[in-house]
Amino acid sequence: MRTSNVCNSLINKGNFAKTKWSLLPIPHGTIPEPKGVDLDFVNVAYSHLIHSDWEKLEGLASGLNPFRFKHVLLKIKNDYVLSHEFYKWVKVKQPVLLTLETQSMIVHILTKHQKFQSAGSILRGILSSSSADFDLPMRLFEAILYSYRMCDSSPGVFDSLFKAHAHLKKLRNATSTFRQMKDYGFLPTIESCNALMSSMHSLKRADIVLSFYREIRKCGISPNVYTLNMVIAAHCKLTSIEKALEIFHDMGDMGILPTVATYNTIISGYCNKGLLTSAVKLKSAMEKNGLKPTEVTFNTLIHGFCKEGRLQEANKVLSEMRAKEVAPNTITYNALINGYSQSGNSESGYELYEQMQRHGVKTDILTYNALILAFCKEGKTKKAAYIVKELDKQNLAPNASTFSALILGQCVRKNPERAFQLYRSMIRSGFSPNRCTSERLMFSFCENQDYDGAVQVLREMLKSNMSPDSDVLSVLWDGLCQNGNEDLATLLQNEIKARFPNCEVSASDQ
């Protein structure tokens, strides 16, 4: 691994004279030379170490202090294996000696010998040791900086620190370290920058991905295909497909060839915007350029067509997928089953489920929830109950979506009492019914003119600090008033108005 130097990068690009950066000098950290007893201790410890005489070293453990530990490390710094073994020995025998300064020294030794994995493990351990110590990242950077020249280190040490923050998903600390590195003339490798951008993506921070990308480009760090794939993905997530395409078209000029992942990302961006014709055309262009669509490509298109209710075209993609010997997987079938569920075609969804079983494709909770919802939307609660039993056979537990679908099924059958029992079971199981489920149940009680039941659901909603839509409330108020419960209606109106001042709670005009 090679870490770029800001000065060299800018000089090579002819931009050094134009930059306003004023690089800070790397400080010369020093420690006093050992004398007398300290010198004797260091020399004896050194002799035991180079002769691998760990038994004799045991007798010195009680006399080891940070000053002596540092000097022993300096004497053996050219032997990274021995240095690392000594560090691990001290960690067991005298863990109190592992200060930021002594740990920085072993990190220097390891990174200089390109043992980045071991160095990264130590750095992540330090940074994870105290989440309440907000100054720790700054103090660690300073410890590494001040021992840099003393240990005759390499720039890779700063790259390792930056990457440690990235892997821990400490975005603020990573970007702060990036700026500090830059101040002293060091930049992380593009691989480490990619690690940070990947963490940003996993935390759904596409905005900072783009901001950080602009920063590294200003610094002269050259992206690779993984960098650009993440930038394209960030633009797509922020619904800026046009900017994603700009990056895509610029890749050739940058000497970077798009990969299957590049095409898949833009195809997904098109599908999310409903631009399915463009998505299909891009898949064709991908094949013309010698890249084979993967299950991700086909699944993305199938999901896109299903989301738009275009199930015939989704099935054409499935046929093409099979023709090209790309095996449909759980995601493929789930997208199609859910598509049929949304379109009110439970039988076709169930046929796909049977296909999954015949072909040995694994089912998951999403498969069963899509089937349960499909049957429940059509009021086929017995078939839904059968699927719930299958869920149990697979050792899969019902989740919030399962309960919501079952409640809907009972409401469709105009059986709000049974639906309310499921509603209560859902809450007892640790799930919170959402607004849509609660409102549908309230409306079902009102349809049956069971306004007491509707009030029970309303009270459950209020416990969760959730207020129903004004249209549902209006139906409830009208029903209560028509049945001589004006006082209860007024009481509930006042309670809701106190909690939700902007909520419309009045009964409709008769």
Side-chain angles (χ1 to χ4, degrees), residues 145-326:
L145 181 67
Y146 277 86
S147 53
Y148 180 83
R149 292 192 184 278
M150 185 195 313
C151 295
D152 190 25
S153 191
S154 73
V157 71
F158 294 105
D159 186 71
S160 292
L161 176 61
F162 173 78
K163 188 181 281 188
H165 286 301
H167 284 160
L168 292 170
K169 300 184 180 181
K170 303 293 185 182
L171 307 188
R172 191 169 297 175
N173 293 338
T175 51
S176 175
T177 298
F178 176 82
R179 295 189 186 101
Q180 289 173 302
M181 288 169 64
K182 195 169 67 168
D183 288 341
Y184 288 95
F186 301 103
L187 289 176
T189 60
I190 190 57
E191 290 78 14
S192 296
C193 293
N194 288 347
L196 178 59
M197 291 170 71
S198 177
S199 291
M200 291 170 173
H201 264 298
S202 69
L203 295 171
K204 304 187 186 304
R205 292 306 308 269
D207 54 335
I208 359 181
V209 169
L210 299 178
S211 176
F212 183 67
Y213 175 68
R214 288 190 291 269
E215 184 73 18
I216 66 173
R217 295 296 284 141
K218 283 180 189 175
C219 294
I221 300 176
S222 298
N224 58 24
V225 68
Y226 304 106
T227 320
L228 297 182
N229 284 350
M230 286 188 282
V231 172
I232 287 170
H235 280 304
C236 288
K237 283 180 183 176
L238 295 172
T239 66
S240 181
I241 192 74
E242 296 79 11
K243 290 183 179 177
L245 287 169
E246 283 179 26
I247 299 289
F248 177 68
H249 294 309
D250 288 344
M251 289 177 81
D253 295 336
M254 299 169 76
I256 298 172
L257 293 175
T259 62
V260 172
T262 315
Y263 282 96
N264 284 346
T265 301
I266 299 177
I267 288 169
S268 177
Y270 276 135
C271 289
N272 288 337
K273 292 192 77 173
L275 302 172
L276 295 166
T277 302
S278 298
V280 172
K281 284 181 180 177
L282 189 59
K283 182 187 76 70
S284 298
M286 170 182 171
E287 292 174 291
K288 286 177 184 175
N289 288 325
L291 297 173
K292 293 182 179 180
T294 63
E295 68 274 6
V296 174
T297 318
F298 290 113
N299 287 345
T300 302
L301 288 168
I302 288 170
H303 180 265
F305 280 120
C306 288
K307 192 170 71 171
E308 297 291 319
R310 294 162 65 175
L311 292 164
Q312 188 174 354
E313 288 153 293
N315 277 298
K316 283 182 182 177
V317 177
L318 177 64
S319 298
E320 183 187 352
M321 187 178 187
R322 286 173 171 151
K324 291 186 175 173
E325 298 183 341
V326 179

Side-chain angles (χ1 to χ4, degrees), residues 28-94:
H28 289 266
T30 59
I31 56 173
E33 288 296 321
K35 295 178 182 178
V37 178
D38 287 328
L39 180 59
D40 291 341
F41 184 97
V42 170
N43 287 334
V44 172
Y46 172 73
S47 176
H48 293 334
L49 280 167
I50 62 173
H51 291 100
S52 298
D53 199 338
W54 295 94
E55 281 189 26
K56 289 183 180 177
L57 197 63
E58 290 276 349
L60 299 179
S62 61
L64 200 60
N65 58 34
F67 179 75
R68 292 171 176 178
F69 180 30
K70 283 183 271 189
H71 274 289
V72 174
L73 276 177
L74 289 174
K75 282 183 77 70
I76 61 172
K77 67 181 180 182
N78 292 326
D79 186 339
Y80 75 88
V81 176
L82 185 58
S83 298
H84 199 196
E85 286 299 313
F86 181 49
Y87 164 80
K88 289 187 283 187
W89 180 83
V90 171
K91 188 176 181 180
V92 172
K93 301 295 179 181
Q94 289 272 42

Side-chain angles (χ1 to χ4, degrees), residues 114-122 124:
Q114 299 187 356
K115 301 303 168 185
F116 301 110
Q117 190 171 351
S118 297
S121 177
I122 291 171
R124 290 192 299 274

